[in-house]
Amino acid sequence: MTVMLKSVEKTAKVRNIGIMAHIDAGKTTVTERILYYTGKIHRVGEVHDGQATMDYLEEEQKRGITITSAATYCQWNKHEINLIDTPGHVDFTVEVERALRVLDGAVAVFCAVAGVEAQSETVWRQATRYNVPRICFINKMDRVGANFDKAVGSIRNKLGAKVAPIQIPIGAEKDFEGFVDLITGEEVRFADDAGMEVNRQPISEQYQEAYELGRENLLEALAEVDDDLCDKFLNGDEIDTETMIRVLRQGTVSGQLNPVLCGTALKNKGVSQVLDAICDFLPSPLDIKIEGVNPKNTDEVIERQPSGDEPFSGIAFKTIADKNGDLTFIRIYTGQLRRGDQIYNVNRSKAERIGRIYQMHASRREALDDGASAGDIVAVVGLKNSYTGDTLCLKDSQIVYGEMKFPETVISQAIETLSALDGDKLAKALDTLSREDPTFKTQVDPETDEIVISGMGELHLEVIINRLLSEFKIQLNVGKPRVAYRQTLGKEIEVEGRHVKQSGGHGQFGVVNVIFEPITGEDTEEYEFVDKIVGGAVPREYIKSVNKGIFESMEHGANLRFPFVNVKATLIDGKYHEVDSSDMAFQMAGRLAFREAVNRGKAIILEPRMKLEVVCPADNLGEVVGDLNSRRAEVREIETDGDIRIVRGIVPLAEMFNYTTSLRSATQGRGTASMEPSEYAPVPEAVAEKVRAERLEFLNSRK
């Protein structure tokens, strides 16, 4: 079977994009309108009714939020758009991370009232990390308090974005009617409720001054991108529409500009213009630099072209577990992919065979019998050992693309089955969920024999547990949520680890001298091992054994069973025996050295702290701030927005369980809060003593 290769002209009209934003900014509503306008669906489903096409999971429909990213495709103005709708809640940020890793462009959606919110900053940083070009859509222009200029200013000031508004809204709130097009120099007013029909007319005197100022600002931004346009601008020459679109696209693709549009997706206004902007300004696969490294020599950079004639390569970026075979989503960067092809997973050194290949429309699969090629995003059946972030290629033409990094879990819960017969069923279900979600962790606590699940927040674990109950039909006892504490060393210390057992016959001999010290700074590593052995005091074959012993002891977490992080271990000396030394002896020596360091170096408990944003009425500000202070919060900023106050700060996660309920009670239901992980920081000593006591009591009770 031959793959129908895309021509260069056809690939140039492909757009692989994502929709990203803070929760409730309107991402899924925007996506639903895109599918409707492009003819992919014929009836609009609303998020609040649980009928949105892309929110197909039962949990999404019940809660009215997006939990997992969903892929679809559509066509607009002879362009093929592959689209991924991503969650806005921070607990599911992994879905945004892995989508942005493989997408070529994104639409960032902002609320016209709130502007940049907490999760807006997170997803924007994620997109910046992967150099994803973005356009911005100021949504909800029909809401009370909508302010386009303020929202644009928050994008500029809080995100450091080089915003380039290409529209000026006509009216706001209930009077929002359309926009002034700064590129064509026209007033555009929506003529029907569907938002598809518009009336274009010359700019009226009322908006002439705003148009001239807006166009001047836009041309200034474009002049920084293109020298020829800059010369025309400085000379006062007329700049035509085609030139402006070309340079705006150039600036967007290079990351120098972020075009800004406005509308209200719920009222069907402005989304067709977003579709035009996606086609006009965001990159095609041909615009993306494809670069990896040689797995056998990571210093060797490999560049490839986004062509079907190149050797196959791609990234597996999402897995959906299925009883009939896992569904693995792949972004194809180069080459072709056919059913029956044998490919190679470089990260796991495993060969894989491709089964059926699908193009996805939310949960619906549409078979691609002719295969797929460079620039496509597809889902395949048949991969048994490939997971999120793995590079797939041909074994005789290997390349590795950059791996994805996911945040550490911050909360855990113990679970147990009500029936012993469900034990195997639970193990399989947890394995399934772990394959799907890299930020969901599960382990059996060796000290208590508890099954402990860990995730990114209360909502994350709540959704997991609900899936176990409803989807997998397992009855559970569920413990209270527990904060995922960590530990580090309080000071630098040099210790000896001695594992010597010689009582006749073959003995055990391993002695190491190690300097342990805490690692500080923003770019800290969780663990760093340095080998400074000279003269063969510890043979080369046992250096890794020492490292392994220390690392395993750190993960064990000493008597509190909280893992250690931000520790540097420097092996400086040791002793060995020609007969009695072994891998196990030096592993034990490493463990004993770390145990001694903990005993003498005073372990410090670290707790996860969260960035917090609370929106509340001005009348309730005092009560809200007082409550936050009682929760050990550091209030860093209070912003005034009419009769609304926005409180921002840092707060320990341990103090925030059930906070939303308390906030609603204090504000008569008008307050909202959002959090995202910020850092691990030392627990105050008075609190640390309480944490130690409770932890030891818990561990003793489980023995």
Side-chain angles (χ1 to χ4, degrees):
M1 179 175 62
T2 302
V3 175
M4 297 292 290
L5 288 180
K6 286 187 174 69
S7 65
V8 172
E9 292 78 12
K10 190 172 181 181
T11 303
K13 291 187 177 295
V14 172
R15 299 290 183 270
N16 293 316
I17 66 154
I19 310 293
M20 64 182 202
H22 183 87
I23 191 169
D24 287 337
K27 300 174 306 304
T28 303
T29 302
V30 170
T31 303
E32 196 76 8
R33 267 54 180 185
I34 286 176
L35 296 178
Y36 179 69
Y37 292 154
T38 58
K40 191 67 183 177
I41 60 175
H42 302 290
R43 177 181 173 275
V44 172
E46 302 296 1
V47 175
H48 53 268
D49 293 331
Q51 298 297 315
T53 305
M54 305 301 279
D55 288 348
Y56 60 87
L57 295 179
E58 181 183 343
E59 283 292 313
E60 294 177 315
Q61 293 167 357
K62 284 196 305 186
R63 297 172 184 275
I65 63 171
T66 302
I67 291 172
T68 182
S69 58
T72 187
Y73 67 97
C74 54
Q75 292 188 338
W76 183 259
N77 287 350
K78 299 181 180 179
H79 286 71
E80 180 182 331
I81 300 174
N82 296 311
L83 185 151
I84 296 180
D85 178 33
T86 65
H89 197 287
V90 67
D91 283 15
F92 310 107
T93 191
V94 61
E95 298 288 344
V96 185
E97 184 81 17
R98 57 187 175 188
L100 289 174
R101 174 63 185 86
V102 299
L103 292 172
D104 301 332
V107 178
V109 181
F110 300 90
C111 173
V113 180
V116 172
E117 300 172 87
Q119 185 68 358
S120 308
E121 297 184 49
T122 301
V123 298
W124 193 270
R125 287 197 306 270
Q126 288 171 308
T128 299
R129 182 160 61 249
Y130 293 121
N131 298 315
V132 178
R134 282 143 277 176
I135 62 176
C136 303
F137 179 57
I138 308 297
N139 192 28
K140 302 190 178 183
M141 283 298 302
D142 59 319
R143 276 190 59 192
V144 174
N147 188 320
F148 178 79
D149 291 336
K150 182 180 175 183
V152 170
S154 71
I155 299 172
R156 180 185 294 113
N157 298 328
K158 293 181 180 179
L159 303 180
K162 183 67 174 178
V163 291
I166 59 175
Q167 299 173 348
I168 297 173
I170 296 176
E173 302 180 347
K174 64 181 178 58
D175 296 322
F176 177 67
E177 298 179 24
F179 57 89
V180 173
D181 190 326
L182 297 178
I183 296 177
T184 64
E186 298 171 303
E187 278 187 22
V188 181
R189 295 178 184 267
F190 299 104
D192 64 344
D193 291 338
M196 292 290 287
E197 297 295 326
V198 296
N199 292 325
R200 291 182 174 270
Q201 60 192 55
I203 295 174
S204 61
E205 184 177 344
Q206 179 183 358
Y207 291 101
Q208 187 65 38
E209 184 178 344
Y211 163 71
E212 291 176 359
L213 178 60
R215 186 176 172 89
E216 183 87 2
N217 291 336
L218 177 59
L219 289 173
E220 283 184 8
L222 295 177
E224 296 181 15
V225 174
D226 185 85
D227 290 340
D228 290 340
L229 186 147
C230 181
D231 290 340
K232 290 182 179 179
F233 177 65
L234 293 175
N235 292 331
D237 297 339
E238 184 64 29
I239 299 173
D240 59 75
T241 298
E242 289 73 18
T243 299
M244 291 183 70
I245 291 175
R246 175 182 62 79
V247 177
L248 195 52
R249 183 174 196 278
Q250 179 184 333
T252 306
V253 171
S254 65
Q256 295 171 271
L257 294 176
N258 302 112
V260 184
L261 301 89
C262 64
T264 168
L266 189 63
K267 298 294 178 61
N268 308 314
K269 296 177 181 178
V271 177
S272 61
Q273 286 73 33
V274 171
L275 278 164
D276 291 339
I278 289 169
C279 299
D280 288 343
F281 307 133
L282 289 179
S284 77
L286 298 177
D287 298 307
I288 303 303
K289 186 176 184 180
I290 300 173
E291 197 172 84
V293 298
N294 184 340
K296 298 176 182 176
N297 177 14
T298 54
D299 292 329
E300 179 188 342
V301 176
I302 300 174
E303 290 189 22
R304 290 187 178 176
Q305 300 302 313
S307 166
D309 296 325
E310 292 262 334
F312 165 76
S313 68
I315 292 180
F317 67 92
K318 181 179 173 71
T319 298
I320 296 179
D322 190 285
K323 62 183 179 181
N324 298 316
D326 287 358
L327 196 64
T328 305
F329 288 74
I330 300 174
R331 163 63 193 268
I332 303 174
Y333 284 106
T334 62
Q336 311 168 33
L337 195 63
R338 297 172 291 261
R339 184 178 181 178
D341 280 355
Q342 182 164 304
I343 59 174
Y344 189 69
N345 185 323
V346 183
N347 301 84
R348 302 178 193 276
S349 302
K350 297 279 188 180
E352 297 272 31
R353 187 168 295 280
I354 299 296
R356 298 296 298 269
I357 303 175
Y358 298 101
Q359 195 163 29
M360 299 299 294
H361 175 50
S363 61
R364 195 172 77 226
R365 308 177 184 186
E366 299 176 11
L368 294 174
D369 294 329
D370 292 329
S373 63
D376 288 335
I377 293 177
V378 297
V380 304
V381 173
L383 306 190
K384 301 182 183 301
N385 300 291
S386 297
Y387 305 103
T388 297
D390 289 349
T391 296
L392 306 172
C393 60
L394 301 182
K395 191 170 184 178
D396 59 359
S397 185
Q398 295 184 26
I399 187 172
V400 176
Y401 296 117
E403 295 184 356
M404 303 180 202
K405 291 186 178 181
F406 303 114
E408 287 295 315
T409 57
V410 296
I411 190 172
S412 61
Q413 255 175 314
I415 60 173
E416 63 179 2
T417 58
L418 293 181
S419 168
L421 298 176
D422 279 344
D424 289 343
K425 193 175 177 182
L426 177 60
K428 291 178 181 178
L430 293 176
D431 178 64
T432 294
L433 295 171
S434 297
R435 292 203 310 273
E436 291 186 349
D437 183 353
T439 59
F440 172 63
K441 307 294 184 185
T442 178
Q443 64 177 353
V444 176
D445 191 314
E447 302 250 344
T448 65
D449 287 330
E450 286 184 315
I451 296 174
V452 179
I453 60 174
S454 302
M456 300 306 299
E458 284 184 277
L459 181 59
H460 188 193
L461 293 188
E462 186 181 324
V463 168
I464 291 288
I465 290 166
N466 283 349
R467 288 188 65 187
L468 291 171
L469 294 171
S470 61
E471 185 178 328
F472 295 95
K473 311 299 182 186
I474 302 172
Q475 295 302 307
L476 297 170
N477 274 330
V478 181
K480 292 181 179 180
R482 301 200 298 255
V483 172
Y485 289 103
R486 302 283 189 266
Q487 298 181 90
T488 193
L489 296 177
K491 63 180 181 180
E492 179 179 325
I493 190 167
E494 181 179 337
V495 298
E496 179 182 79
R498 173 180 288 269
H499 181 65
V500 178
K501 292 186 177 180
Q502 293 174 300
S503 56
H506 188 70
Q508 293 286 320
F509 190 101
V511 179
V512 295
N513 296 88
V514 185
I515 296 175
F516 290 97
E517 56 189 302
I519 307 174
T520 58
E522 290 187 4
D523 298 323
T524 58
E525 298 183 41
E526 289 205 348
Y527 171 56
E528 181 182 353
F529 180 80
V530 179
D531 170 21
K532 287 195 174 180
I533 290 294
V534 293
V538 176
R540 306 310 308 169
E541 63 266 28
Y542 298 137
I543 301 294
K544 289 183 178 179
S545 306
V546 179
N547 184 15
K548 183 179 180 182
I550 293 171
F551 181 73
E552 288 179 349
S553 192
M554 286 176 56
E555 286 204 316
H556 180 269
N559 64 325
L560 294 181
R561 302 284 287 113
F562 295 144
F564 278 80
V565 295
N566 300 345
V567 172
K568 178 180 179 181
T570 305
L571 179 62
I572 58 172
D573 202 358
K575 297 176 183 177
Y576 75 102
H577 189 280
E578 289 188 359
V579 176
D580 293 340
S581 288
S582 65
D583 168 66
M584 184 55 65
F586 275 98
Q587 280 192 47
M588 285 301 302
R591 291 193 186 104
L592 291 169
F594 185 73
R595 188 182 303 171
E596 180 68 12
V598 172
N599 292 337
R600 292 169 50 195
K602 187 173 174 54
I604 295 175
I605 298 177
L606 305 175
E607 64 181 349
R609 304 209 306 168
M610 314 294 284
K611 283 185 181 178
L612 173 71
E613 182 174 286
V614 180
V615 179
C616 67
D619 293 344
N620 302 120
L621 179 63
E623 187 175 355
V624 168
V625 171
D627 181 47
L628 289 175
N629 288 335
S630 73
R631 297 172 184 268
R632 297 193 283 125
E634 297 176 19
V635 175
R636 297 183 174 179
E637 178 186 7
I638 300 176
E639 180 182 329
T640 298
D641 184 5
D643 62 350
I644 295 297
R645 299 295 180 267
I646 304 169
V647 182
R648 299 186 180 92
I650 302 289
V651 64
L653 176 62
E655 305 288 349
M656 297 303 286
F657 291 125
N658 299 316
Y659 175 69
T660 301
T661 302
S662 299
L663 177 64
R664 286 174 181 161
S665 176
T667 61
Q668 294 77 51
R670 296 176 63 197
T672 60
S674 59
M675 294 190 299
E676 63 172 294
S678 174
E679 61 193 357
Y680 268 88
V683 176
E685 188 55 37
V687 178
E689 286 300 325
K690 182 181 177 182
V691 171
R692 289 190 190 98
E694 290 178 351
R695 180 64 170 175
L696 291 173
E697 180 182 355
F698 167 76
L699 292 174
N700 290 331
S701 71
R702 305 298 295 188
K703 289 181 178 178

